[in-house]
Amino acid sequence: QVQLVESGGGLVQPGGFLKLSCAPSTSLFSFNVVGWYRQAPGKQREMVAALLGGGQRNYADPVKGRFIVSRDNAKNMVYLEMSSLKPEDTAVYYCYADQLLGGKKSDYWGQGTQVTVSS
């Protein structure tokens, strides 16, 4: 069973910076897409940033220009750098990855890490 372990969440003031990390239990090269979702209280989980196999990056409109998703193949890690944080960025952030094996798609989620933006 694939596991994704997030770290790096916490409390930060508006305008601040946080970097989230995600450590998969298997090689990054086994995944088709890796990325980050978030879920704020009372809201549905939403995609924040995705890194596709060909290197394309997709971002949700509210975070464009402020967040950067990246991967380090040597360290087998996925990151989300969040700048100019706003109170509305407050949410539980989840690392996500999917695999395509034998025509079957499997989705994997981390346990989530809390990000709170408040003064």
Side-chain angles (χ1 to χ4, degrees), residues 20-109:
L20 305 182
S21 301
C22 174
S25 61
T26 189
S27 170
L28 274 176
F29 293 106
S30 70
F31 299 122
N32 180 48
V33 176
V34 294
W36 296 87
Y37 281 67
R38 68 186 181 186
Q39 187 167 18
K43 295 187 177 181
Q44 290 188 331
R45 191 174 297 190
E46 62 179 0
M47 190 277 289
V48 175
L51 185 54
L52 281 60
Q56 179 182 347
R57 290 171 169 82
N58 294 333
Y59 296 97
D61 286 343
V63 308
K64 284 181 180 177
R66 300 188 297 122
F67 290 13
I68 298 174
V69 60
S70 64
R71 59 188 281 171
D72 185 328
N73 293 331
K75 295 182 178 179
N76 205 55
M77 296 287 288
V78 181
Y79 302 104
L80 183 68
E81 295 178 70
M82 305 183 292
S83 303
S84 303
L85 282 161
K86 304 175 181 180
E88 51 263 44
D89 294 318
T90 295
V92 177
Y93 284 70
Y94 298 90
C95 183
Y96 164 82
D98 69 33
Q99 289 181 327
L100 290 173
L101 295 174
K104 178 183 177 183
K105 181 175 177 291
S106 299
D107 297 330
Y108 301 101
W109 297 90

